[in-house]
Amino acid sequence: MRIGILGSGEIGGTMARLLTAAGHDIAVANRRGPASLTGLVAELGPRARAATVEEAIVFGDPLVIVAIPFGAYDTLPAGPLAGKVVVDTTNHTPSRDGAHAELESGRTTSSELIAAHLPGARVVKAVNTLNYKYLLDLARPGAPREERTALFVAGDDTEANRLVTDLLDELGFAPLPTGPLAEGGRRQQPGTPVFNRPLRPGQVVLAP
């Protein structure tokens, strides 16, 4: 699969490592530009390339991973992302992202705000519940499902959910559905029973 990654920090870099190790081709971009990605791309090898944001989006076919701070979500270009499966790995952190009254009141979720900003994209919430160190250390491709670490998938598009579920399974996790984007996004937020807890499928208890 050709996958674009927007963001090269802890989650973006970790996903780049997991995806290239699994045999996928990636284009990774950040706000500082391709020249800042030379070291990461050299480490990842021939399946990785540095790109501008626009180039990474075009490269990702059909999937683009968003691994930027949530507070920068309104910088995502809606037009180029139309029709893409967009994996939202972000979490709202008020101390970093600023106050968002609609989130703090519970009227909506961070993923719903991103989906509203990207009306033509198929947004799937995933890979937001575990610290990047867990992601690196706990991926177990080929292990029995019941022995893997659970990750969670929420979205409104059945085909997009299936694509992301299959990809996480290939990377060595046990993906579990949490529901549509609104309902599932709430079940994956910071403060929920599954957030930053490395759980096996049989240990998972989702918030109501």
Side-chain angles (χ1 to χ4, degrees):
M1 194 185 302
R2 289 162 54 103
I3 298 172
I5 302 177
L6 307 184
S8 60
E10 293 173 346
I11 296 296
T14 297
M15 290 303 293
R17 291 175 175 89
L18 292 173
L19 289 165
T20 52
H24 296 283
D25 295 320
I26 67 161
V28 60
N30 64 21
R31 61 184 177 182
R32 297 183 300 279
S36 68
L37 296 164
T38 303
L40 176 63
V41 169
E43 173 195 339
L44 296 173
R47 292 198 175 276
R49 67 187 68 187
T52 65
V53 169
E54 292 75 13
E55 289 168 345
I57 291 171
V58 171
F59 183 88
D61 186 17
L63 192 143
V64 176
I65 295 172
V66 172
I68 63 176
F70 169 75
Y73 82 88
D74 57 359
T75 66
L76 295 169
L81 285 166
K84 303 281 186 177
V85 176
V86 173
V87 181
D88 169 27
T89 73
T90 71
N91 291 303
H92 174 229
T93 304
S95 61
R96 178 195 64 196
D97 303 319
H100 287 262
E102 62 269 52
L103 298 180
E104 291 157 15
S105 69
R107 290 199 304 270
T108 189
T109 63
S110 58
S111 290
E112 289 175 281
L113 290 180
I114 290 175
H117 177 68
L118 305 174
R122 297 184 286 166
V123 176
V124 178
K125 184 77 166 184
V127 199
N128 72 299
T129 53
L130 287 183
N131 181 279
Y132 76 101
K133 295 179 181 178
Y134 284 140
L135 291 172
L136 277 176
D137 294 343
L138 299 178
R140 298 190 62 192
R145 179 179 173 82
E146 64 271 14
E147 296 179 7
R148 299 183 181 196
T149 299
L151 287 178
F152 305 94
V153 177
D156 299 331
D157 185 297
T158 301
E159 182 182 357
N161 291 351
R162 184 181 304 114
L163 179 69
V164 175
T165 295
D166 290 346
L167 181 61
L168 296 179
D169 180 78
E170 180 188 356
L171 295 182
F173 297 96
L176 297 173
T178 59
L181 200 60
E183 178 183 328
R186 285 182 170 83
R187 289 173 168 170
Q188 294 172 219
Q189 291 182 139
T192 61
V194 300
F195 192 79
N196 208 30
R197 296 183 63 198
L199 303 168
R200 292 183 177 179
Q203 299 173 314
V204 170
V205 178
L206 294 172

